């Protein structure tokens, strides 16, 4: 993840190669004169973090950081200053296949948190997948997006409960305006079939208390392998849209106003198939929801000898200058897409 915390200052969550307590919080500083990004300076603000992933600016002006088992916040201090960690949520599940936390803020001081499933498809070995799946049971299910209601002078957590369930791994969360709660969108990383064309990833419009299918259903309410004839997928919510199989959406953000990305939902597709390793946008229709075919902002990101390695985008942001910054973890790089500038008018010739 990457986030602009002040003009020319960007915080980056470095997950630490999936190793517990190896993560870092970095600060990248760009020259104030808008010179070439390769002159950026990198400083380590914090180390020994546990697989940090989520990174968001809160309504209180503080930066919220999602580690595997906790969410904390800090004020933005002077450049290079260590964060002053303040606990927001502790004791979150940090084991299993999907321990990473994505976070996104909605209206009314609501914070949405990914609590990923503990397995790919609720199957152990060659046994039939469990019914019901233990991840979805009890008062604190996994495979869910939770909602934290913050309130009071210090924006303390007043309530933390499941918002929507049946969601394998919600590493792409975004909240669009349009209601008192906002419209919570989730990009679903679907079950890992060996078929490169199946199952499709999903874009879901989350509604409170609804179930979205995992592990019983994939695609547009189709029974998942091992659940054929065992579960009625019509009981689950249909997706807003289907995305290419194995595209692996890993972050979504609304395009800020007054930038080339205004009126779009931007998505990082990291997946290894041709559908992945690109950044796309979807235009927001009259109903305020994404529609139509993807707009390729960064595409064709396959390996080419002597030119470039394969790139796999994981996080993105658009800064105050309208530049798209993308964290690409396969080669540990940050890329910047600059706004185009009009070409000068040709000089009239006699």
């Amino acid at each position: 993840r990457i986030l602009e915390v002040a003009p020319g200052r960007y915080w980056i969550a470095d997950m630490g190669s999936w190793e517990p307590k190896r993560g870092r919080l970095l600060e990248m500083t760009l020259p104030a004169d808008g010179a070439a990004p390769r002159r950026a300076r990198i400083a380590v603000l914090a180390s020994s973090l546990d697989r940090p992933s989520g990174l968001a600016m809160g309504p209180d002006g503080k930066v919220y950081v999602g580690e595997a088992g906790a969410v904390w916040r800090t004020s933005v201090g002077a450049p290079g200053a260590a964060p002053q960690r303040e606990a927001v949520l502790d004791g979150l599940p940090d084991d299993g296949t999907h321990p990473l936390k994505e976070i996104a803020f909605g209206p009314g001081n609501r914070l949405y948190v990914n609590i990923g499933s503990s397995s790919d498809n609720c199957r152990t070995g060659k046994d039939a997948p469990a019914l019901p799946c233990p991840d979805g049971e009890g008062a604190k299910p996994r495979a869910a997006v939770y909602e934290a209601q913050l309130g009071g002078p210090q924006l303390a957590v007043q309530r933390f409960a499941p918002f929507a369930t049946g969601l394998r791994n919600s590493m792409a969360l975004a909240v669009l305006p349009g209601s008192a709660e906002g419209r919570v969108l989730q990009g679903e990383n679907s079950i890992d079939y060996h078929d490169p064309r199946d199952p499709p990833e999903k874009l879901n419009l989350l509604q409170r208390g609804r179930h979205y299918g995992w592990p019983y259903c994939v695609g547009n309410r189709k029974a998942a392998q091992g659940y054929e004839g065992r579960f009625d997928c019509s009981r689950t919510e249909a997706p807003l849209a289907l995305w290419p199989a194995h595209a692996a959406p890993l972050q979504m953000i609304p395009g800020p106003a007054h930038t080339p990305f205004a009126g779009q939902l931007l998505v990082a597709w990291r997946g290894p198939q041709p559908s992945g390793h690109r950044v796309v946008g979807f235009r927001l229709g009259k109903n305020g929801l994404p529609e139509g075919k993807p707009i390729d902002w960064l595409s064709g990101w396959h390996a080419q000898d002597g030119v470039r390695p394969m790139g796999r985008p994981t996080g993105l942001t658009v800064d105050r200058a309208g530049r798209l910054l993308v964290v690409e973890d396969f080669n540990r790089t940050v890329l910047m897409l600059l706004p185009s500038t009009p070409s000068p008018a040709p000089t009239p010739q006699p």
Side-chain angles (χ1 to χ4, degrees):
R1 295 289 181 266
I2 184 168
L3 180 70
E4 186 182 26
V5 299
R9 293 173 60 194
Y10 307 83
W11 285 7
I12 301 171
D14 175 7
M15 206 175 70
S17 300
W18 281 91
E19 295 292 334
K21 305 299 183 181
R22 293 285 301 275
R24 302 181 299 172
L25 182 63
L26 309 176
E27 182 172 85
M28 180 178 76
T29 306
L30 296 181
D33 58 6
R38 64 177 59 92
R39 290 176 50 197
R41 299 188 303 273
I42 302 289
V44 178
L45 302 184
S47 57
S48 301
L49 303 183
D50 189 6
R51 294 160 288 176
S53 181
L55 198 61
M57 184 69 71
D60 50 4
K62 295 182 178 181
V63 176
Y64 287 63
V65 179
E67 294 189 58
V71 176
W72 52 275
R73 62 191 169 199
T74 179
S75 298
V76 178
Q84 302 299 309
R85 180 170 176 149
E86 177 187 349
V88 178
L89 295 166
D90 282 318
L92 304 178
D94 59 1
D95 60 342
T97 306
H98 303 122
L100 305 184
K101 301 297 178 285
E102 172 64 320
I103 55 178
F105 279 95
N109 298 329
R110 295 179 175 93
L111 174 63
Y112 297 94
V113 183
N114 171 45
I115 305 292
S117 65
S118 63
S119 69
D120 172 45
N121 58 1
C122 208
R123 182 194 298 266
T124 302
K126 296 182 179 180
D127 296 336
L131 181 67
C133 180
D135 267 3
E137 300 300 298
K140 296 181 179 180
R142 294 189 62 160
V145 168
Y146 278 61
E147 181 187 66
Q149 177 64 65
L150 309 181
Q154 304 302 319
L155 280 191
V157 175
Q158 299 179 335
R159 181 179 58 84
F160 185 60
F163 179 75
T165 57
L167 301 162
R168 177 176 173 270
N169 192 26
S170 303
M171 288 305 294
L173 282 176
V175 183
L176 303 177
S179 70
E181 291 186 344
R183 291 169 168 172
V184 185
L185 297 179
Q186 182 258 6
E188 173 74 325
N189 285 260
S190 293
I191 295 172
D192 292 324
Y193 290 179
H194 294 300
D195 187 337
R197 297 166 296 179
D198 194 47
E201 313 287 37
K202 299 192 292 183
L203 175 65
N204 291 309
L205 174 61
L206 301 188
Q207 300 179 65
R208 187 182 303 277
R210 305 293 179 85
H211 192 284
Y212 290 82
W214 185 91
Y216 315 115
C217 313
V218 294
N220 193 1
R221 297 192 284 191
K222 175 185 175 182
Q225 292 177 1
Y227 287 107
E228 299 94 337
R230 303 175 62 203
F231 187 88
D232 181 6
C233 290
S234 67
R235 296 159 45 191
T236 66
E237 293 299 310
L240 184 65
L242 296 179
W243 285 346
H246 309 291
L250 285 199
Q251 191 177 14
M252 301 191 303
I253 59 171
H258 311 300
T259 74
F261 313 99
Q264 293 183 35
L265 177 72
L266 298 176
V267 191
W269 282 350
R270 184 185 185 274
Q273 301 292 343
S275 60
H277 44 80
R278 55 182 174 153
V279 176
V280 299
F282 290 90
R283 297 193 188 280
L284 303 180
K286 293 181 179 180
N287 61 359
L289 295 174
E291 62 182 22
K293 296 182 178 180
I295 302 164
D296 281 325
W297 287 105
L298 290 172
S299 62
W301 210 340
H302 56 278
Q304 187 173 344
D305 290 344
V307 179
R308 61 175 179 266
M310 177 185 286
R312 294 184 176 177
T314 61
L316 63 163
T317 195
V318 178
D319 68 8
R320 290 166 172 82
R323 301 175 296 193
L324 174 67
L325 289 92
V326 180
V327 175
E328 187 276 301
D329 70 349
F330 199 61
N331 304 285
R332 301 177 65 83
T333 56
V334 175
L335 294 90
M336 178 181 287
L337 181 64
L338 303 174
S340 60
T341 55
S343 300
T347 303
Q349 298 296 318

